[in-house]
């Protein structure tokens, strides 16, 4: 359709061909309007029944909503038209008719359940506010990539079919790989470290992670997008600076480039870019503050993982993003380094949004013997990880990094209720297609 132009580019005085979906037909009797919608907006097509070819009128007004039509005609200024211009058609072609029984109403007049929306994503995405989420998601990923490049990072892609898990054995999806047991990767963790230890030094990856999560919650997916960073000669504080940089860059990009999308989502007044450094609370301070809120039935003690209600209470108390640093070593994975002066204390950190965890990271154990000890302490067989551990014998610099949940970033920025709204085709326990 080389002659077709976007409706937004139709200039009064021109003859134009536009194509898109039938948003609405308004028949006022002698005059009727077809509102045609495309990616750029909407345009009114005017049918003056008595003055126009009967067949043309029949075609234009007989078509069902959401059909694809192509219209050629004169573009004129018309103050009463929704966009100030309209087309008087000379030709109307029904390119692809739509079944009049639609499984969901893209005009949004009738609300649909999330599951109906996800089963019919193509129709769902015809809604302005749904499309806005994915335009903003794309903008976030663009801004994050650009910020990593500004931090001197190289974008990498690591394998998703792997021989070993890293984030706890219960959450692996097993697959068969030419007769051998293999898994879908839970995190690029080991691979990004192997590359940070090369001359490449600073890397990032934006890619899928697969987790056979037990729980069915509004903030867990079984396939998620992880935004990973790893940098040689970095410690946990450097990694937290990078977290702050990329998260803030995402907010700034939306502020600068997504005003129409924010408006479509009704967020134009409340959207704010974080304007202060994210406070860094130690784990010890975090449990003290949670206990002080009195929101939990039982007081937390050193060594406890933070329960969701505890995170919520602290989130309300702090009121914005914050880091929790210096976690007990025993609740952080083997690859996280302990403090040199206190083996009970790790360099692991999390970035929290008041609603949920967004990031985990830390400085890594780069000393071969200590790394092997760490595997053994967590009941893992270091021999299975030989492909990884052996590189620690050949000059592995101190390094640090993090993983940021892409959908959780989108979800918290836009205040979405369910993480599934931030993915086109989410994977959860009940959903394997589309
Ligand atoms: P009928 O008398 O059978 O309803 P008609 O052909 O006389 O139809 P009009 O009286 O011109 O139609 O318009 C009907 C309604 O449509 C009016 O409310 C008018 O304001 C509105 N209208 C007319 N032309 C346009 C236009 N180009 N864009 C938007 N609204 C229009
Ligand atoms: P972690 O397991 O904490 O750390 O994951 C990092 C971040 O990824 C997101 N995330 C998820 N989002 C949606 N659904 C899920 N099932 C899911 N699981 C994780 C969260 C989480 O904070 N290797 C480490 C990172 C590192 O140390 O570099 C890791 O994977 O936002």
């Amino acid at each position: 359709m080389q002659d077709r132009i976007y409706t937004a580019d139709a200039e009064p005085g021109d003859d134009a061909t536009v194509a898109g979906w039938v948003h609405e037909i308004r028949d006022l009797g002698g005059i009727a309007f077809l509102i045609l919608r495309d990616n750029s907006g909407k345009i009114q097509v005017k049918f003056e029944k008595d003055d126009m070819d009967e067949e043309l009128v029949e075609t234009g007004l007989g078509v069902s909503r959401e059909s694809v039509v192509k219209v050629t005609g004169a573009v004129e200024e018309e103050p009463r038209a929704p966009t100030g211009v309209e087309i008087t058609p000379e030709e109307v072609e029904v390119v692809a008719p739509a079944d009049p029984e639609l499984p969901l109403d893209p005009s949004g007049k009738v609300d649909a359940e999330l599951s109906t929306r996800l089963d019919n994503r193509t129709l769902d995405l015809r809604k302005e506010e749904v499309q806005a989420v994915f335009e903003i998601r794309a903008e976030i990923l663009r801004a994050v990539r650009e910020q990593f490049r500004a931090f001197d990072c190289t974008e990498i892609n690591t394998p998703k079919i792997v021989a070993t898990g890293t984030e706890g054995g219960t959450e692996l999806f097993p697959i068969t790989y030419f007769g051998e047991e293999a898994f879908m990767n839970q995190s690029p963790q080991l691979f990004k470290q192997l590359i940070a230890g090369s001359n490449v030094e600073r890397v990032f990856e934006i890619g899928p992670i697969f987790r056979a999560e037990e729980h069915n919650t509004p903030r867990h997916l079984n396939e998620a997008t992880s935004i990973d960073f790893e940098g040689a000669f970095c410690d946990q504080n450097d990694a937290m600076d990078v977290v702050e940089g990329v998260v803030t860059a995402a907010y700034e990009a939306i502020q600068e480039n997504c005003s129409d999308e924010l408006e479509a989502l009704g967020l134009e007044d409340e959207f704010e870019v974080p304007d202060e450094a994210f406070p860094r609370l130690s784990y010890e301070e975090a449990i003290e503050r949670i206990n002080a809120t009195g929101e939990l039935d039982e007081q937390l003690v050193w060594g406890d993982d933070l329960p969701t209600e505890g995170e919520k209470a602290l989130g309300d108390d702090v009121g914005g993003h914050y880091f929790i640093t210096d976690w007990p070593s025993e609740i952080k994975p083997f690859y996280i380094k302990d403090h040199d002066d206190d083996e009970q204390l790790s360099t692991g950190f999390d970035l929290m949004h008041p609603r949920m965890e967004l990031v985990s990271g830390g400085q890594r154990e780069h000393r071969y013997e200590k790394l092997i000890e760490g595997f053994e302490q967590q009941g893992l067989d270091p021999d299975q990880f030989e492909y990884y551990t052996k590189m620690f014998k050949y000059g592995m610099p101190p390094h640090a990094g993090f993983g940021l949940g892409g959908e959780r970033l989108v979800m918290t920025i836009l205040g979405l209720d369910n993480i599934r709204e931030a993915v086109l085709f989410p994977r959860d326990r009940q959903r394997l297609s589309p």
Side-chain angles (χ1 to χ4, degrees):
M1 294 202 180
Q2 282 173 355
D3 53 346
R4 175 237 176 181
I5 61 164
Y6 273 138
T7 57
D9 298 332
E11 294 284 343
D14 288 350
D15 263 344
T17 297
V18 293
W21 293 265
V22 177
H23 186 67
E24 197 183 349
I25 291 177
R26 280 190 290 135
D27 199 331
L28 305 173
I31 192 166
F33 306 104
L34 182 159
I35 310 298
L36 184 138
R37 188 188 70 235
D38 67 7
N39 183 261
S40 71
K42 298 189 192 96
I43 198 160
Q44 169 166 290
V45 185
K46 177 173 73 176
F47 293 86
E48 281 172 312
K49 296 179 189 172
D50 296 341
D51 306 339
M52 285 167 100
D53 177 70
E54 217 172 292
E55 212 180 303
L56 184 80
V57 172
E58 249 171 55
T59 310
L61 301 179
V63 70
S64 53
R65 280 175 50 217
E66 297 306 317
S67 297
V68 177
V69 296
K70 184 174 161 189
V71 175
T72 302
V75 184
E76 279 150 37
E77 232 166 287
E78 172 50 68
R80 290 169 296 178
T83 58
V85 289
E86 67 181 8
I87 295 193
T88 304
E90 280 137 33
E91 258 181 77
V92 175
E93 181 192 340
V94 179
V95 179
D99 192 323
E101 294 286 318
L102 297 172
L104 76 82
D105 173 18
S107 79
K109 285 177 193 145
V110 184
D111 270 346
E113 297 275 338
L114 184 57
S115 64
T116 308
R117 294 178 44 204
L118 297 176
D119 286 342
N120 299 282
R121 257 313 195 192
T122 306
L123 289 175
D124 188 43
L125 274 155
R126 291 183 192 166
K127 288 187 266 185
E128 226 183 345
E129 69 278 17
V130 179
Q131 200 186 329
V133 170
F134 292 95
E135 291 295 341
I136 289 178
R137 180 183 158 120
E139 181 61 14
I140 290 172
L141 295 181
R142 186 201 62 74
V144 163
R145 279 201 166 87
E146 210 161 88
Q147 189 59 52
F148 277 126
R149 295 297 279 164
F151 284 143
D152 231 5
C153 299
T154 304
E155 181 162 8
I156 59 167
N157 301 99
T158 63
K160 304 305 157 204
I161 301 176
V162 296
T164 56
T166 53
E167 313 296 329
T170 56
E171 293 170 8
L172 280 165
F173 280 115
I175 56 168
T176 306
Y177 191 70
F178 301 112
E180 256 185 74
E181 184 178 50
F183 305 97
M184 302 299 291
N185 207 5
Q186 293 169 305
S187 161
Q189 184 62 38
L190 306 187
F191 298 97
K192 64 179 179 171
Q193 286 189 256
L194 291 176
I195 305 309
S198 77
N199 215 62
V200 180
E201 290 199 21
R202 286 172 164 238
V203 297
F204 77 98
E205 176 166 11
I206 300 177
I209 55 170
F210 304 91
R211 299 186 177 202
E213 300 282 1
E214 299 283 323
H215 15 280
N216 196 356
T217 79
R219 58 175 209 282
H220 287 95
L221 293 163
N222 295 108
E223 177 174 349
T225 308
S226 188
I227 299 170
D228 276 89
F229 165 78
E230 203 65 29
F233 307 105
C234 288
D235 65 14
Q236 71 276 24
N237 293 310
D238 300 321
M240 282 188 269
D241 292 345
V242 176
V243 169
E244 217 161 62
V246 297
V247 171
T248 307
Y251 277 88
E252 280 170 349
I254 296 170
Q255 171 102 308
E256 209 166 301
N257 302 321
C258 300
S259 48
D260 289 350
E261 286 79 9
L262 288 175
E263 206 178 313
L265 288 159
L267 294 175
E268 66 276 24
D269 294 331
E270 59 193 78
F271 182 81
E272 273 177 37
V273 178
D275 58 354
E276 279 174 20
F278 305 154
R280 299 182 185 189
L281 307 181
S282 70
Y283 165 85
E284 196 170 348
E285 288 171 86
I287 57 174
E288 277 167 16
R289 276 178 77 161
I290 293 171
N291 286 338
T293 64
E295 292 286 329
L296 298 191
D297 296 338
E298 272 187 49
Q299 295 272 293
L300 295 172
V301 295
W302 209 89
D304 287 344
D305 214 339
L306 303 187
T308 307
E309 318 85 78
E311 288 176 0
K312 288 225 167 79
L314 186 55
D316 289 344
D317 194 21
V318 178
H321 294 87
Y322 62 99
F323 288 101
I324 304 180
T325 65
D326 306 302
W327 287 76
S329 304
E330 62 185 28
I331 53 176
K332 282 288 170 187
F334 63 84
Y335 50 76
I336 298 280
K337 189 172 175 289
D338 297 333
H339 280 279
D340 288 330
D341 54 359
D342 184 352
E343 290 215 335
Q344 304 304 310
L345 214 57
S346 80
T347 62
F349 65 82
D350 286 356
L351 176 74
M352 307 296 299
H353 177 273
R355 290 179 66 199
M356 74 193 80
E357 177 198 308
L358 282 182
V359 173
S360 289
Q363 188 175 340
R364 317 307 189 182
E365 182 50 75
H366 66 285
R367 297 160 298 182
Y368 179 77
E369 280 78 20
K370 289 272 184 199
L371 184 66
I372 300 291
E373 261 175 48
F375 274 105
E376 285 162 352
Q377 274 164 12
Q378 292 203 352
L380 293 166
D381 176 8
D383 290 348
Q384 282 196 334
F385 293 85
E386 208 235 349
Y387 68 90
Y388 164 74
T389 57
K390 72 179 182 196
M391 289 302 148
F392 286 66
K393 293 195 256 184
Y394 309 127
M396 181 59 73
H399 59 286
F402 65 81
L404 159 63
E407 286 79 17
R408 289 193 182 181
L409 183 62
V410 176
M411 180 186 181
T412 51
I413 291 179
L414 299 181
L416 304 177
D417 291 332
N418 195 313
I419 196 165
R420 291 160 183 79
E421 292 179 66
V423 200
L424 288 172
F425 299 106
R427 288 290 167 262
D428 63 30
R429 290 179 85 83
Q430 279 81 43
R431 188 168 285 280
L432 190 52
S433 52

